[in-house]
Amino acid sequence: MMNREKLKGFDPLRLVMSAELSGMQAAGLCALLCAAFFAAALHFCAAMEGAAVIAASSTLCLAMLMLGACGAIRRCDRSVLVLLCAALVAMLAIGAHLALLPVKPGRYTKVLETLLEEMWNYELPTAMAWEDDGWSGGYLIICALLSRLEGFSALYAVKLIDLVFLSAAACAALRLARQAGASPARALGAMALCMLAPTMLFNAGCWAQCDAIFAAMTLWGLALTLDDHPLAGCLLLGAALATKLQSAFVFPILLVLFMERRVSLRHLLAILLAFVALQAAILVDGLGLASLFGRYAQQLDIASESIGLTDNAPGVFGLMRIASVREFSGMGLYLGIASALLVVAAMLRARAPLSKRTLLLGAWLLAAGLPLILPQMNVRCLYLACLLGFALARGARQLAVAAALEGISLCGYMTAIFGYESLPLFALSLLAIAAAVVIALELLAALKAPQAEDAEAGAGVRA
C-alpha cells in the first residue's frame, strides 16, 4: 500500500528535468542537441543549394551559444530543463536567421554581386587589396575569398558568415554581462536579445551587411582586455579596427586602462600590428603604407560627396535642415574627439579604481554618443551600442535606453531597406540624444559611488 502511494507521487519527467548535470554530462547533452539540430536543419534546408554547409554552419552557431550558456550557469542551476530552454531559444534565433537566407536584398545585387564578379578577374592578393570605394581589410579578405566560391551561393555565404560572427558577438555580450555583475539569467537574456533583435536579423537577412564581424571582434577584445588578457584583447581590437572604423568608438577606454596600468604600451602596439597584418595584402600588392592607412580617409571623402553630413543617421546633423558639409564635417570631427576625451577625463578623475561595469558603461556611452556627433554616419552607426546595451542594461531606466536605441536603429533600417519612414529623422535624433544623456547620467552615478557598483557586480557574479 505504501509503495503504491509512493509510486503515485513519483514523477519521472520532473525528476529528469530537475536533475543537476556535471560538466561532462552537460557537454554530452549539448552534443546530442547539436546533432539533432543538424539533422533537422539538413532536412528543412534540403531543397536549398549547399544544404549540408548551411546545416553545419548553423550547428556551429548553436554549439557556440550553448558553450556560452554552459559557461554562464556553471556555478548555479545547470539542470536539464535550464539547458533545454537555452537550447530552444538558441535554435529559434538561428532558425529565424536561416529563414531569411533566400531573401536577396537590393544591396547584394547592386554592390556585392558586382564586386565579387570584378574580383574574380584578378589574382587573390590583388582582390584582397581592392582599391575602389575604399573597402577595408577585413571585409576585403572575406569578399576576395567569396569571389573564388564555386558550387555554393555567395549570398548564402555572406549571411552565414554574419550569423557565425553574430553568435560570437552574442557570446561576448553574455561574458560582458557577467563581468558587469549580471545574474546568469540576465546574461542569457542578453545573449538571446543579441540574436533575436530585429536589427540583428535585418542587418544581413534583408540588407546583406556583415556588421557582426567587427562587432564580435570589438566585444571580445573588450571582454578579454577586462579579463586580464590585454594582449589577446588588443589584437582583436586591432583586427576590428582593420575591418570597420566604427570599432574605434570604444577605443578611448583603452586610454583609461593605460593610465590605470591595466594595459601597457606593447599592448597598444599590438593593435597597430593586427591592423597592419589584416591588411598586409595592400602592401603585398605594392600599394604602400599610404594606401593602407588612407583607406578610411578615402571612405570618408566618398561619403562626404555622396551623402553629405549624414546618411539618415540620428544625431545633431539630423536636426539640421541646411548645413555646409565642408564646415560642419571638421567641426563634428573635432567635437567628437573632444567629447571622447571629456569622457576619459571624467573616468580618470574617479576617486577609486574603476570597476568593470563602470568601464563598460563608459564604452556604452562612447558607442551611443559619438555617432550622434561625428559626420558621415549611416543608419547602422548604433549597431555596437545596441549590443552593449543588451549586455549592460539592468533596471527599468537602462532597459528603456537599450530598447530606445534598438527602436531608433530599427526605424532607420525600415527607411533604408523598405523606404518606410516610421518616424522623422528629427524625432529619432532627439530620442537618440536623450538616450545618450541617460547613459551619461548612469556613468556619472557609477563614478560617484564606485563601492556600490563593486558590491552589485560581486553579487551578480556570485549568483
PDB file of all heavy atoms in Angstrom, residues 36 60 104 137 139 151 155 157 194 216 226 256 279 303 305 314 325 367 376 399:
ATOM      1  N   ALA A  36      20.957  16.667 -33.134  1.00  0.00           N
ATOM      2  CA  ALA A  36      19.547  16.700 -33.524  1.00  0.00           C
ATOM      3  C   ALA A  36      19.238  17.932 -34.362  1.00  0.00           C
ATOM      4  O   ALA A  36      18.491  17.860 -35.353  1.00  0.00           O
ATOM      5  CB  ALA A  36      18.670  16.678 -32.265  1.00  0.00           C
ATOM      6  N   LEU A  60      27.240  24.927 -35.903  1.00  0.00           N
ATOM      7  CA  LEU A  60      28.386  25.578 -35.265  1.00  0.00           C
ATOM      8  C   LEU A  60      27.920  26.755 -34.411  1.00  0.00           C
ATOM      9  O   LEU A  60      28.395  26.945 -33.283  1.00  0.00           O
ATOM     10  CB  LEU A  60      29.372  26.039 -36.335  1.00  0.00           C
ATOM     11  CG  LEU A  60      30.539  26.915 -35.856  1.00  0.00           C
ATOM     12  CD1 LEU A  60      31.426  26.142 -34.888  1.00  0.00           C
ATOM     13  CD2 LEU A  60      31.361  27.422 -37.038  1.00  0.00           C
ATOM     14  N   LYS A 104      16.922  38.106 -51.234  1.00  0.00           N
ATOM     15  CA  LYS A 104      18.018  38.710 -51.999  1.00  0.00           C
ATOM     16  C   LYS A 104      17.883  40.229 -51.962  1.00  0.00           C
ATOM     17  O   LYS A 104      17.112  40.813 -52.720  1.00  0.00           O
ATOM     18  CB  LYS A 104      17.991  38.212 -53.448  1.00  0.00           C
ATOM     19  CG  LYS A 104      19.256  38.542 -54.236  1.00  0.00           C
ATOM     20  CD  LYS A 104      19.250  37.837 -55.585  1.00  0.00           C
ATOM     21  CE  LYS A 104      20.565  38.069 -56.329  1.00  0.00           C
ATOM     22  NZ  LYS A 104      20.598  37.346 -57.619  1.00  0.00           N
ATOM     23  N   GLY A 137      40.340  46.231 -44.891  1.00  0.00           N
ATOM     24  CA  GLY A 137      40.996  44.935 -44.968  1.00  0.00           C
ATOM     25  C   GLY A 137      40.168  43.721 -44.612  1.00  0.00           C
ATOM     26  O   GLY A 137      40.154  42.730 -45.342  1.00  0.00           O
ATOM     27  N   TYR A 139      36.894  43.158 -44.491  1.00  0.00           N
ATOM     28  CA  TYR A 139      35.841  42.868 -45.465  1.00  0.00           C
ATOM     29  C   TYR A 139      36.432  42.432 -46.800  1.00  0.00           C
ATOM     30  O   TYR A 139      35.865  41.592 -47.499  1.00  0.00           O
ATOM     31  CB  TYR A 139      34.956  44.100 -45.665  1.00  0.00           C
ATOM     32  CG  TYR A 139      34.047  44.402 -44.499  1.00  0.00           C
ATOM     33  CD1 TYR A 139      33.893  45.699 -44.027  1.00  0.00           C
ATOM     34  CD2 TYR A 139      33.337  43.388 -43.865  1.00  0.00           C
ATOM     35  CE1 TYR A 139      33.060  45.982 -42.954  1.00  0.00           C
ATOM     36  CE2 TYR A 139      32.511  43.653 -42.799  1.00  0.00           C
ATOM     37  CZ  TYR A 139      32.373  44.953 -42.338  1.00  0.00           C
ATOM     38  OH  TYR A 139      31.553  45.225 -41.279  1.00  0.00           O
ATOM     39  N   GLY A 151      29.988  26.482 -56.582  1.00  0.00           N
ATOM     40  CA  GLY A 151      29.091  25.435 -56.108  1.00  0.00           C
ATOM     41  C   GLY A 151      28.295  25.795 -54.879  1.00  0.00           C
ATOM     42  O   GLY A 151      27.630  24.935 -54.297  1.00  0.00           O
ATOM     43  N   LEU A 155      25.496  34.659 -51.789  1.00  0.00           N
ATOM     44  CA  LEU A 155      24.521  35.323 -50.926  1.00  0.00           C
ATOM     45  C   LEU A 155      24.345  34.547 -49.628  1.00  0.00           C
ATOM     46  O   LEU A 155      24.354  35.140 -48.539  1.00  0.00           O
ATOM     47  CB  LEU A 155      23.175  35.435 -51.653  1.00  0.00           C
ATOM     48  CG  LEU A 155      22.004  35.979 -50.834  1.00  0.00           C
ATOM     49  CD1 LEU A 155      22.278  37.413 -50.411  1.00  0.00           C
ATOM     50  CD2 LEU A 155      20.710  35.886 -51.624  1.00  0.00           C
ATOM     51  N   ALA A 157      26.508  32.541 -48.358  1.00  0.00           N
ATOM     52  CA  ALA A 157      27.772  32.606 -47.636  1.00  0.00           C
ATOM     53  C   ALA A 157      27.884  33.896 -46.827  1.00  0.00           C
ATOM     54  O   ALA A 157      28.321  33.877 -45.670  1.00  0.00           O
ATOM     55  CB  ALA A 157      28.932  32.496 -48.618  1.00  0.00           C
ATOM     56  N   CYS A 194      20.701  39.630 -28.399  1.00  0.00           N
ATOM     57  CA  CYS A 194      21.672  39.869 -29.467  1.00  0.00           C
ATOM     58  C   CYS A 194      21.352  39.043 -30.709  1.00  0.00           C
ATOM     59  O   CYS A 194      21.647  39.472 -31.832  1.00  0.00           O
ATOM     60  CB  CYS A 194      23.083  39.534 -28.981  1.00  0.00           C
ATOM     61  SG  CYS A 194      23.734  40.688 -27.765  1.00  0.00           S
ATOM     62  N   ALA A 216      31.771  41.531 -33.233  1.00  0.00           N
ATOM     63  CA  ALA A 216      32.241  40.380 -32.465  1.00  0.00           C
ATOM     64  C   ALA A 216      33.685  40.581 -32.012  1.00  0.00           C
ATOM     65  O   ALA A 216      34.030  40.321 -30.847  1.00  0.00           O
ATOM     66  CB  ALA A 216      32.118  39.108 -33.311  1.00  0.00           C
ATOM     67  N   LEU A 226      39.452  43.320 -20.311  1.00  0.00           N
ATOM     68  CA  LEU A 226      38.976  43.492 -18.935  1.00  0.00           C
ATOM     69  C   LEU A 226      39.202  42.250 -18.088  1.00  0.00           C
ATOM     70  O   LEU A 226      39.219  42.332 -16.857  1.00  0.00           O
ATOM     71  CB  LEU A 226      37.482  43.846 -18.936  1.00  0.00           C
ATOM     72  CG  LEU A 226      37.121  45.200 -19.544  1.00  0.00           C
ATOM     73  CD1 LEU A 226      35.615  45.418 -19.515  1.00  0.00           C
ATOM     74  CD2 LEU A 226      37.835  46.332 -18.814  1.00  0.00           C
ATOM     75  N   VAL A 256      41.971  55.020 -20.765  1.00  0.00           N
ATOM     76  CA  VAL A 256      41.699  54.901 -19.330  1.00  0.00           C
ATOM     77  C   VAL A 256      42.443  53.708 -18.749  1.00  0.00           C
ATOM     78  O   VAL A 256      43.076  53.801 -17.681  1.00  0.00           O
ATOM     79  CB  VAL A 256      40.176  54.756 -19.095  1.00  0.00           C
ATOM     80  CG1 VAL A 256      39.887  54.578 -17.609  1.00  0.00           C
ATOM     81  CG2 VAL A 256      39.437  55.967 -19.633  1.00  0.00           C
ATOM     82  N   GLN A 279      45.633  43.791 -43.166  1.00  0.00           N
ATOM     83  CA  GLN A 279      45.613  44.477 -44.460  1.00  0.00           C
ATOM     84  C   GLN A 279      46.944  44.334 -45.189  1.00  0.00           C
ATOM     85  O   GLN A 279      47.305  45.152 -46.023  1.00  0.00           O
ATOM     86  CB  GLN A 279      45.277  45.957 -44.261  1.00  0.00           C
ATOM     87  CG  GLN A 279      43.956  46.185 -43.554  1.00  0.00           C
ATOM     88  CD  GLN A 279      43.577  47.644 -43.492  1.00  0.00           C
ATOM     89  OE1 GLN A 279      42.882  48.150 -44.357  1.00  0.00           O
ATOM     90  NE2 GLN A 279      44.033  48.331 -42.459  1.00  0.00           N
ATOM     91  N   ALA A 303      32.035  59.399 -48.838  1.00  0.00           N
ATOM     92  CA  ALA A 303      30.781  59.622 -48.118  1.00  0.00           C
ATOM     93  C   ALA A 303      30.398  61.101 -48.111  1.00  0.00           C
ATOM     94  O   ALA A 303      29.223  61.455 -48.262  1.00  0.00           O
ATOM     95  CB  ALA A 303      30.893  59.097 -46.694  1.00  0.00           C
ATOM     96  N   GLU A 305      30.970  63.269 -50.322  1.00  0.00           N
ATOM     97  CA  GLU A 305      30.485  63.672 -51.641  1.00  0.00           C
ATOM     98  C   GLU A 305      29.118  63.075 -51.968  1.00  0.00           C
ATOM     99  O   GLU A 305      28.308  63.705 -52.643  1.00  0.00           O
ATOM    100  CB  GLU A 305      31.497  63.250 -52.710  1.00  0.00           C
ATOM    101  CG  GLU A 305      32.831  63.969 -52.609  1.00  0.00           C
ATOM    102  CD  GLU A 305      33.844  63.454 -53.613  1.00  0.00           C
ATOM    103  OE1 GLU A 305      33.480  62.542 -54.394  1.00  0.00           O
ATOM    104  OE2 GLU A 305      34.992  63.940 -53.618  1.00  0.00           O
ATOM    105  N   PRO A 314      20.644  59.231 -37.014  1.00  0.00           N
ATOM    106  CA  PRO A 314      20.205  60.157 -35.968  1.00  0.00           C
ATOM    107  C   PRO A 314      21.395  60.881 -35.353  1.00  0.00           C
ATOM    108  O   PRO A 314      22.500  60.345 -35.285  1.00  0.00           O
ATOM    109  CB  PRO A 314      19.519  59.232 -34.955  1.00  0.00           C
ATOM    110  CG  PRO A 314      20.183  57.909 -35.144  1.00  0.00           C
ATOM    111  CD  PRO A 314      20.496  57.823 -36.608  1.00  0.00           C
ATOM    112  N   VAL A 325      28.692  71.086 -45.661  1.00  0.00           N
ATOM    113  CA  VAL A 325      29.461  69.858 -45.448  1.00  0.00           C
ATOM    114  C   VAL A 325      30.907  70.193 -45.108  1.00  0.00           C
ATOM    115  O   VAL A 325      31.500  69.621 -44.187  1.00  0.00           O
ATOM    116  CB  VAL A 325      29.388  68.958 -46.704  1.00  0.00           C
ATOM    117  CG1 VAL A 325      30.285  67.743 -46.533  1.00  0.00           C
ATOM    118  CG2 VAL A 325      27.957  68.547 -46.970  1.00  0.00           C
ATOM    119  N   ALA A 367      29.965  54.457 -27.528  1.00  0.00           N
ATOM    120  CA  ALA A 367      29.366  53.810 -28.704  1.00  0.00           C
ATOM    121  C   ALA A 367      28.019  54.414 -29.063  1.00  0.00           C
ATOM    122  O   ALA A 367      27.622  54.405 -30.240  1.00  0.00           O
ATOM    123  CB  ALA A 367      29.216  52.309 -28.447  1.00  0.00           C
ATOM    124  N   GLN A 376      29.124  62.007 -41.432  1.00  0.00           N
ATOM    125  CA  GLN A 376      29.128  60.881 -42.372  1.00  0.00           C
ATOM    126  C   GLN A 376      28.763  59.545 -41.705  1.00  0.00           C
ATOM    127  O   GLN A 376      29.307  58.496 -42.042  1.00  0.00           O
ATOM    128  CB  GLN A 376      30.481  60.751 -43.087  1.00  0.00           C
ATOM    129  CG  GLN A 376      30.697  61.744 -44.199  1.00  0.00           C
ATOM    130  CD  GLN A 376      31.308  63.049 -43.719  1.00  0.00           C
ATOM    131  OE1 GLN A 376      32.289  63.038 -42.992  1.00  0.00           O
ATOM    132  NE2 GLN A 376      30.734  64.170 -44.127  1.00  0.00           N
ATOM    133  N   LEU A 399      17.115  49.544 -19.201  1.00  0.00           N
ATOM    134  CA  LEU A 399      16.382  48.732 -20.173  1.00  0.00           C
ATOM    135  C   LEU A 399      15.646  49.624 -21.177  1.00  0.00           C
ATOM    136  O   LEU A 399      15.587  49.310 -22.371  1.00  0.00           O
ATOM    137  CB  LEU A 399      15.395  47.814 -19.459  1.00  0.00           C
ATOM    138  CG  LEU A 399      15.990  46.597 -18.739  1.00  0.00           C
ATOM    139  CD1 LEU A 399      14.928  45.904 -17.896  1.00  0.00           C
ATOM    140  CD2 LEU A 399      16.584  45.616 -19.737  1.00  0.00           C
TER     141      LEU A 399
END
